[in-house]
Amino acid sequence: MQLASQGTVLLLLRVLVHWDLVQRARGRSAFQGTVTPCGDSDVESEQMRVLKGRTGGDLLVLCNLRKSYGGRRGAEAVRDVSLGVRRGECFGLLGASGAGKSTTFKMLSGDIAPTAGHAVVRTSSGEDVALFSAGAAGVRIGYCPQQDALDELLTGWEHLRYYCSLCGIPKQHIPEVAGDLVRRLQLGAHANQPVATYSGGTKRKLSTALALLGRPDLLLLDEPSSGMDPCSKRFLWRVLTEEVLEGCAVVLTSHSMEECEALCTRLTIMVNGSFRCLGSPQHLRDRFGAGYVVRVACEEGSAARAVSDCLGLHFPDVRLQGQRLNVLEYHVPRRRDCLADLFRVLADNKTALSIRHYSIQQPTLEQVFIDFAAEPQPTPRAAPGPATSSHRPHGLPV
Ligand SMILES: Nc1ncnc2c1ncn2[C@@H]1O[C@H](COP(=O)(O)OP(=O)(O)O)[C@@H](O)[C@H]1O
Ligand SMILES: [Mg+2]
């Protein structure tokens, strides 16, 4: 009898000690969090994935991450961000200035503490550890902050050698490791000069090189290519692609949609601290860029109103996006035979409407971004939309 009760108590103790493993076995995350209605089904699916613990292959997991500058009651710079990023994935964090991208990065790099939520990395043994103890747990993180943290008086080589020592790279390997980064990021012409003589783009190259030191498992890059010339950008893309192919998880911000298209496997557009959409560049274009952008250049002094009336007659859902000088830009939602009809209507009325020339295009990722960034102050938590909302943001004048 005594043995049976002792056995039961010990069994209960064991279950309590390994409660996290029980939770995982039941398919639940160790995180206690909530799904915040935000009006986008992809963002909510990602939140569910994180909360249900379906993040087995992910290296970085964020759950209901928040930051208010000025305490819990202050304005929220980041609101309830949940995300999992796997090895070999490049995740893009896009958004207009002030959207909350750098604040998110600063929480990931440990510069600032989150007001609420969790941010963890997964070790090779599958254990979740807080980001600040990632190094001790054997997960290497490279971080390129938005503001270059460089010493103007030191040269590129001196920076690299110093950071190599900080990373614990043995002295005899430092010239090889530093030299490899100088070569890969094309810093050769500048590496012997003090940083004070560098252009903005060259400083970004050096900051990126420092983030790449020690072959990180997770790379956090806050606008790495800002100020770089087009050739340097392409070199940087090649370097980052190599890292991703070798299994590094990359999170980057950029104002270049071309860069996001070239590098990101998935991306999100942040507006006022929240994710407003999430998916591959192609998915976002298909989902939010459905339809055509029609640009019509009219003769000087011709009535723009007549063009709008004519298009409105044939395409009731047409929307005037903006006007620059005598060029009008419309968005026409996609429907069957829409493209053929557009060409026909414009060609038939070209002379009557004094149209000089016109073009019809599918919306680009840049247009999707502009539409989201132009959103007037959404309050997703106060006014949640339906889970499958077909978001139709407002357009900017062109
Ligand atoms: N140290 C700070 N103190 C107070 N507010 C801040 C601070 N840093 C950023 N913010 C505010 O947080 C919001 C998000 O800023 P930030 O993360 O830098 O945006 P982004 O990187 O997308 O341009 C902005 O409204 C900004 O003014
Ligand atoms: Mg920023």
Side-chain angles (χ1 to χ4, degrees), residues 101-102 146 222-223:
K101 307 179 297 291
S102 294
Q146 185 175 356
D222 198 349
E223 300 189 26

Side-chain angles (χ1 to χ4, degrees), residues 61-313:
V61 182
L62 315 180
C63 180
N64 288 137
L65 201 63
R66 281 187 191 202
K67 180 68 191 177
S68 308
Y69 289 106
R72 283 181 181 269
R73 285 164 189 276
E76 283 187 315
V78 173
R79 308 167 192 228
D80 272 334
V81 161
S82 296
L83 173 72
V85 182
R86 61 176 170 75
R87 285 180 183 277
E89 169 165 34
C90 179
F91 189 88
L93 212 52
L94 312 191
S97 297
K101 307 179 297 291
S102 294
T103 302
T104 307
F105 270 95
K106 286 177 192 165
M107 287 190 278
L108 301 187
S109 66
D111 277 359
I112 55 174
T115 308
H118 309 272
V120 298
V121 283
R122 200 153 282 155
T123 64
S124 47
S125 58
E127 199 188 337
D128 287 349
V129 294
L131 278 152
F132 59 82
S133 47
V139 181
R140 295 174 302 258
I141 301 180
Y143 174 41
C144 170
Q146 185 175 356
Q147 310 292 340
D148 297 299
L150 303 171
D151 189 319
E152 300 270 300
L153 299 176
L154 297 182
T155 66
W157 281 117
E158 285 164 345
H159 274 94
L160 285 162
R161 280 199 290 267
Y162 178 59
Y163 276 77
C164 279
S165 317
L166 287 182
C167 281
I169 294 169
K171 213 170 175 181
Q172 67 272 23
H173 295 312
I174 289 179
E176 184 195 333
V177 173
D180 182 51
L181 285 170
V182 165
R183 183 187 53 76
R184 288 174 77 198
L185 284 151
Q186 293 205 306
L187 278 165
H190 312 276
N192 279 317
Q193 309 296 322
V195 164
T197 64
Y198 287 12
S199 67
T202 309
K203 284 183 185 168
R204 297 309 285 156
K205 281 190 205 174
L206 181 56
S207 296
T208 309
L210 297 176
L212 285 166
L213 266 177
R215 293 264 150 173
D217 302 293
L218 172 64
L219 199 47
L220 306 170
L221 304 169
D222 198 349
E223 300 189 26
S225 65
S226 67
M228 280 190 196
D229 62 80
C231 279
S232 302
K233 269 188 195 175
R234 270 152 190 82
F235 264 97
L236 177 74
W237 297 354
R238 192 189 298 169
V239 172
L240 296 182
T241 306
E242 283 165 10
E243 295 294 319
V244 169
L245 288 176
E246 284 179 24
C248 179
V250 179
V251 184
L252 74 84
T253 66
S254 175
H255 287 300
S256 157
M257 296 301 126
E258 197 190 357
E259 183 162 292
C260 294
E261 297 249 18
L263 292 175
C264 297
T265 34
R266 284 190 306 157
L267 57 90
T268 183
I269 297 176
M270 271 184 107
V271 179
N272 296 316
S274 306
F275 289 180
R276 300 290 289 135
C277 59
L278 197 148
S280 68
Q282 184 63 48
H283 173 75
L284 297 186
R285 259 202 319 270
D286 288 347
R287 187 160 171 222
F288 298 106
Y292 297 98
V293 175
V294 180
R295 288 198 186 87
V296 181
C298 303
E299 299 289 354
E300 301 287 333
S302 62
R305 182 75 194 264
V307 179
S308 300
D309 287 347
C310 175
L311 285 174
L313 196 66

Side-chain angles (χ1 to χ4, degrees), residues 33-52:
T34 52
V35 171
T36 313
C38 66
D40 183 84
S41 53
D42 295 322
V43 176
E44 286 171 7
S45 301
E46 184 69 3
Q47 291 184 10
M48 284 299 285
R49 190 174 77 84
V50 169
L51 282 172
K52 296 251 176 204

